[in-house]
Amino acid sequence: MGTRSTLVGMEVPIIGTDSIKWIDLFLSSSLPSSPPFAPHTEHDFAASSSLNQDHHLIWRIHKTLPHALELLDISSTSKEFLPSIGLRITFPDALSPFVSVCVVERRYPYLLYALTVSGVAYVLKLRNISSYVNASNSAFPPDEVLEFDIRACSNQHGPITAVAATAGCFVAGFSDGSVSCFQLGSLLDQNAPGFVHELRDDSGMGRLWGFMSRGRIVGPVQDLVMYEVHGKQLLFVLHSDGILRVWDSISHSRIFSHTMSIPELAGATLKRLWVGQVDNNSSIIPLAILYGQTLEVSLEMIYVYGLHCSFGDRTILLLEPSVQNVLLEEGRCIDVKLASDKIWILKDNGLVLHNLSHTTVNVEEAQCYSLQEEFVADQLFQSSEHSSDDLLWITHSIFSSGKDHIVPFVSSIFLRRLLCPGIHHNISLRATLLDYNRHWTDLEFQSLTADGLKKEILSLIEHEGTTENSSIFYCWKNFCKRYFHNWCKNNAPCGLLIDSSSGAVGLIRKNSLSLFRCTEDIERLINGSSDELGDLVSIGLDLFDDDLESEILIEVLRCVISISQQLGKTASAVFYESLVSTPVISSEEILPCVSKILATGYSSSAAMLHISDTGADIAWEKKMADHKNLRKFSIDMLLSLHALCEKAGTWGRVLNVIESFLKFVVPRKIIRNFDDKILSSINASTLVQATSQISQVMFETAMDVLLFLTYLVNISGQIHMCHDDISRIQLEMVPMIEEIIFEWLIIHFFATTPSQPAAIEDFSLQLSSLQIDSNMGKRSWNEKLGKCHFTLAFILLLNIQSFPGGHIELSSRCLPNSDDISNSIQDFTSWIIWGKSGEPSAFLSHSTELALILLRHGQYDAAEYLLTMVEAHLRKEKTSQSIQDNDGQWCILHHLLGCCFLAQAQCASHGILKEKKVNEAVCCFFRASSGKGASQALQSLSHEAGFAHINFSGCVSDAAWRLHYYQWAMQIFEQYNISEGAYQFALAALEQVDEALSPNDHYSGRDPLSESSATIKGRLWANVFKFTLDLNRFYDAYCAIITNPDEESKYICLRRFIIVLYECGAMKILCGGQLPFIGLTDKVEQELARKAERSDILAKPNLYKLLYTFEMHRHNWRRAAGYMYLYSARLRTEAALKDHQYTALVLQERLNGLSAAINVLHLVHPAYAWIDPLPEGNSLHNEHYPRKKARTVEEQTVSNDVQPQRGQSYIDIEKLENEFVLTSAEYFLSLANVKWTFTEVHYVSSDLVDLLVQKSLYDMAFTVLLRFYKGSRLKRELERVFCAMSLKCCPNKVDSSCVRDDLRTHGLLLTSSKNEVVVHASHDMGPATQQFKRNSQWETLELYLVKYRGFHAKLPVFVAETLLCMDPQIELPLWLVQMFKDNRRERTWGMTGQESNPASLFRLYVDYGRYAEATNLLLDCIESFASARPVDIINRKRPFAVWFPYTAIERLWCQLEESISSGRMVDHCDKLKKLLHGALLKHLQLLRVDSDDAPSAVR
């Protein structure tokens, strides 16, 4: 029959069913693989089975994954918020498009029948899907599987063409027209008699004749349907030749056979057979058969038949004479569901419902339901070729003065729509991202929140815009195009789902589920074209008693629809984005821009952009087309408006009609106990999605009416509108529409905005992640927070309808029908806007209730948006004074808004955003405390608000209330570690103390504060100190200390102040004189000393140095020296106990401390230049403080007015210098890896000097000698040191017998064997290195001998004697010999001089057999004596002016004679003897002459 379609409903996606987590099980088979024997899955196949009133089991087979069977259980008894898990069973072979699930009362509640293309039938014993979650093995249990190869017993019949099944019976139809029944699932033995039964036409003995007695041959089986009616199990068999047979599957007898021939469709193929449900009061079985195309008819047809049945002793079926047909005009038929009076036909372009109550084939109006593809295309600007371009042009026209905001604004629009529930589809989005080579694992992608997806998509678009050298807008355009393609591909419709108990109709898609709802009256009115507007009563708009007013409204709506079509969907998208996103441009600015576009078209900048993107020619054509379209629109609108005014008579009447219509758009006020209704998870999901659809339509409708009224005002002169009408529009109607827009905006915001993820700091979430909390519903809740499909509306629903178990109790009706959805939408929207009371002024109070729900669940951004929008809307309606008159609700609003900002500041990272949120929170709390009725209103907030309860009972003054509230705010900021806000409220509370406790301030009841003013101020100033200290405002913190009236609190704060300054490395502030110590100098010193005593001596900065600086700044020299000495003493004791690895550094610090103490004591008068020892626990430390260490030294007092008399124990500069010298020695030895320490500062043993000389630390050795040795002892130690230094200049090995015993070289030399000693040196040192070292030692010896021979004149003699003793043949250095010669006394000649004179060297030469050197030295002296200048001759002749060691000379003479007589070096000795003899003769002669001249010299 011919039909005329009307849109009566639309699809409502069940949010979250696109994110199913599949449990994969694999099925093994013992049968070998074989060639195909059953039909392949050519299209995605899906179906469902109503297992009972609570369960619907859905199964799907994808043509791209034919081996896998997906099972999804929708249950009203599940505690899960949505069906989040499914079962995917993988078969060994590809599946045929057939699955049947039967309910059995056994151990396994379900039997699942499936067939593979190889002809193997499977029976799976299924448990509840949730029982497979914790399966340890991925293999399906083999004992729960039955398999049967149909080919083995039915190969002679040809391939299988159709199958059907019921509990215990599997039926297969074959290509030869035969039908076989297998007792699969009821008989375990497949070889038992009766397991296989073939349905035949004849009975009795005729069966013995086999094939010849089967009756006439029928065509291949086209379709099979198992159907139970009135307790009879019937099998409907449709053959390809048009024969329909009905068999009793129990008795295996045929009860009906008829050829379903249609004369008009001669030659058409019969494709499918559907059997509908039978009413209890009816005996007609509805049948539907799909006929294929013929040569005459190019479209498919569905014929609906009625089969009358009667059951008694014999079952009789008769075909009803009436036949109805449905022409499938467009689209492929996917599925059909049949009832006694209805037929649902699912095509790939929509769902069509036909009423079968007609008994004729008269033309009937079909009822159409739109699919989600149309909605997605419309929202992503894919419905027409230029819809996305319109968005770019309108944004360029609006942002003509701020083009930098276009890209982020447009990106925000696309992102919001892509991730909107109903549009966002997980699998499709992942496939689109995969097109751009963005890869994730399943776990990674599932963990992405809405914010994470936004970041990923935005980064992808920005990257594409950079690499492809194209605009961001066209990157978005291409992305949405790909996404829509993937959405249609991965979410194609597969089958229908009918809930017979509720009448609900659902849609099974490839990767999601949906329900259908009827459109609301306003939707049918607005979504229809202007030509389809007719009888308003038929669509629910029975607003007027006058037909003329109805006609006026129809004309008005035509004009509104014309404006909407002129602008498309872009204007409302831009307007909505300006309301919900970060305010780049206000909505008040957008409206004039859009009105200007209606009047003059898009701006020139948009036209230039089009030229750059498409070229000049195409842009010119587009410009001309747009200009022509604009002119046509303007003329048509002008004519329509003139006709409208002429029909109405006046514009006032038109405005009255519009105002009446606006009342229809306002959210309906329904007073019901909405929270008493219990919604199932499916109901809740459907309700949220349907609410978003309705709210969007209402928002856009109100927006279009607002544009229409604005357009009227703009062209008021052309349509002769009077000033009063213009004023009425601007002052009355525009605010009314803005309020409607605001209300639907709030509803749409809740329905589409994803929830905010739970904060990491949330302890309850941590319990959930650790699975410590046993509340499964709450854990599921936390997992869904932040996901795209879990919007704010779910939080509201779950909050108002939750039970103590933490989950949502599901209703007994699993799937809601259209009436349920519609009623739920009205209840929900009414509750959001009007609350339970439904009072017109209740929205402010109800908005605070909504905000409390959001705050309780951590939705701070949403709560901020809601409260901000409510406040802005109220400010438009009323003045600030009148807003505060609403029973304190204004105060609650700002209080909750402050809580939002505070929570956001805690979650934000440090930076400008955190600072901004803190400032906004502070402002909101101050506003809340200053409003009227703040005390009573804020105390009404319950503990469930999620923040500390404000409990301040009693009737008190405003100042006392503010004092309490400011302290509460201070504690809240402190709780969130936001010191800036806490600091401000602490100061604000201080300002209220005096007034709150003033005796002139009368109030009834007892004092709720019950504290004195000083106590409160002390506590508050202590808090001010703490917060400023946390903010590193040290000067302000110190001011808080000195202002604090509580002395105990003041000293505690001072102690903390010093500790924090020390830890922050800011002690310079304390010790640099920047702070005024008003009576706190001694306390500061005590605290510093106490802290120093209890601190690690090696810590930095060191408190003893800080004390030193502190005292030096006060010119307290002796105390400064005392602290530095104490520092050095503690370093010596504690570092030694710890055996610290940094010994050299510790010793260096000790030296620095001693040096500082010595230097500062030099600033004191010598009579007072001493300090008492400052042991730990000395009197500078307050007796009040507990001591951690035992006192071991008697305490003594150090004061500035010290008398010259010194106590029994003191430390003066001399002692400090002694310790400094010894510590220096220890330091240098530590550098040489020698561990040595001292215990006495007045005496030093020779061992220290020996160590220093051994390590070549000569300067330190001589410093120790000169500091601690005097007189002869000093000379002896100098002799030892220089002897040791001389030994280092000799070759490595010497004869130990030559070393004098009194040199005590055993302390300086290490004996290697009995007859030799070696100097400490490296054994692997080469000859060149040793030679260089000896040269350096000679230079060192010369340097120190020259420097220190003034302390002991005979040192050169000991050096020379040591060298000759070590090596008698050694050549003494020239500088050493010269020392002997240069030490002669003045006005004397010969070999006279000081202790180190030539005579001493001469004796050494003689003693050690150096006769040649001795002879030469003597000859040199004699020659020097003889060659005196004439001026010196007179002096030489004086008595005792000349002296020679004659005894030593005589010894030399004897030694030479002895050598000659013994025959040793006879010639050499003889030569020396002759030289000596000649020199002595000349010398004696000269002496005789001088002796003779002596008397005359005397005269």
Side-chain angles (χ1 to χ4, degrees), residues 1375-1431:
W1375 56 266
L1376 180 59
V1377 176
Q1378 196 64 32
M1379 283 185 182
F1380 285 91
K1381 295 179 179 181
D1382 293 343
N1383 281 340
R1384 289 179 297 185
R1385 297 188 181 96
E1386 295 182 358
R1387 303 177 68 181
T1388 59
W1389 282 264
M1391 302 181 95
T1392 60
Q1394 299 179 0
E1395 295 181 4
S1396 300
N1397 50 37
S1400 302
L1401 181 60
F1402 179 78
R1403 293 191 191 95
L1404 290 175
Y1405 280 155
V1406 173
D1407 290 342
Y1408 288 97
R1410 303 292 292 274
Y1411 305 137
E1413 286 82 355
T1415 302
N1416 291 333
L1417 178 61
L1418 180 61
L1419 294 178
D1420 182 65
C1421 291
I1422 293 174
E1423 182 180 357
S1424 175
F1425 173 77
S1427 61
R1429 295 178 302 171
V1431 69

Side-chain angles (χ1 to χ4, degrees), residues 215-376:
R216 71 183 184 89
I217 299 176
V218 294
V221 176
Q222 189 67 30
D223 203 355
L224 291 175
V225 177
M226 295 288 291
Y227 186 75
E228 183 178 357
V229 55
H230 297 292
K232 296 287 186 176
Q233 194 71 41
L234 303 181
L235 174 63
F236 292 79
V237 183
L238 178 65
H239 296 268
S240 60
D241 55 2
I243 297 177
L244 174 65
R245 293 183 176 184
V246 182
W247 301 78
D248 188 336
S249 61
I250 303 300
S251 62
H252 302 138
S253 61
R254 189 187 70 191
I255 58 179
F256 179 80
S257 178
H258 188 273
T259 301
M260 313 300 289
S261 61
I262 305 296
E264 296 83 359
L265 298 178
T269 59
L270 283 69
K271 293 185 174 182
R272 291 288 306 275
L273 168 67
W274 293 277
V275 180
Q277 299 174 355
V278 180
D279 293 340
N280 294 329
N281 300 326
S282 175
S283 59
I284 302 298
I285 302 176
L287 302 176
I289 299 177
L290 175 63
Y291 290 84
Q293 301 174 0
T294 64
L295 296 178
E296 292 77 12
V297 182
S298 60
L299 300 176
E300 294 180 335
M301 296 283 290
I302 292 180
Y303 277 78
V304 182
Y305 304 90
L307 194 61
H308 180 78
C309 57
S310 63
F311 301 95
D313 296 335
R314 181 182 177 188
T315 303
I316 301 174
L317 299 179
L318 298 175
L319 189 66
E320 292 290 322
S322 62
V323 178
Q324 296 180 354
N325 63 343
V326 179
L327 178 64
L328 304 181
E329 298 178 351
E330 295 179 358
R332 179 179 65 89
C333 180
I334 299 175
D335 196 7
V336 172
K337 294 297 180 182
L338 195 61
S340 59
D341 58 346
K342 296 178 182 179
I343 181 172
W344 293 272
I345 303 173
L346 176 63
K347 300 186 293 183
D348 52 12
N349 61 350
L351 174 66
V352 181
L353 171 63
H354 290 273
N355 193 345
L356 300 180
S357 60
H358 300 281
T359 58
T360 63
V361 294
N362 295 334
V363 175
E364 178 208 0
E365 183 176 344
Q367 300 178 9
C368 296
Y369 293 80
S370 64
L371 297 184
Q372 190 69 4
E373 282 84 348
E374 181 180 348
F375 177 77
V376 174

Side-chain angles (χ1 to χ4, degrees), residues 340-440:
S340 59
D341 58 346
K342 296 178 182 179
I343 181 172
W344 293 272
I345 303 173
L346 176 63
K347 300 186 293 183
D348 52 12
N349 61 350
L351 174 66
V352 181
L353 171 63
H354 290 273
N355 193 345
L356 300 180
S357 60
H358 300 281
T359 58
T360 63
V361 294
N362 295 334
V363 175
E364 178 208 0
E365 183 176 344
Q367 300 178 9
C368 296
Y369 293 80
S370 64
L371 297 184
Q372 190 69 4
E373 282 84 348
E374 181 180 348
F375 177 77
V376 174
D378 185 60
Q379 293 299 303
L380 297 181
F381 310 104
Q382 302 295 313
S383 56
S384 65
E385 182 181 357
H386 302 291
S387 58
S388 57
D389 295 334
D390 293 340
L391 177 62
L392 179 63
W393 296 333
I394 195 172
T395 51
H396 272 269
S397 299
I398 293 174
F399 294 95
S400 57
S401 60
K403 298 187 181 299
D404 294 338
H405 301 300
I406 294 177
V407 171
F409 189 81
V410 170
S411 296
S412 181
I413 292 176
F414 279 109
L415 275 175
R416 192 177 304 279
R417 296 198 165 209
L418 271 171
L419 301 181
C420 181
I423 301 174
H424 169 259
H425 189 262
N426 251 1
I427 298 175
S428 302
L429 181 59
R430 187 174 182 182
T432 306
L433 295 173
L434 190 61
D435 293 341
Y436 289 90
N437 294 322
R438 296 296 178 100
H439 301 271
W440 286 278

Side-chain angles (χ1 to χ4, degrees), residues 64 172 303 320 361 370 471 715 773 782 926 1017 1122 1259 1310 1327 1337 1392:
T64 56
Y303 277 78
E320 292 290 322
V361 294
S370 64
S471 66
I715 63 169
D773 188 1
N782 288 329
F926 275 122
K1017 287 184 177 181
D1259 281 329
L1310 179 63
Q1337 294 289 351
T1392 60

Side-chain angles (χ1 to χ4, degrees), residues 864 868 897-906 917-918 920-921 924:
E864 177 202 348
T868 305
L897 194 55
C899 293
C900 292
F901 290 133
L902 182 61
Q904 289 172 330
Q906 184 199 19
K917 294 296 181 181
V918 170
E920 290 174 342
C924 287

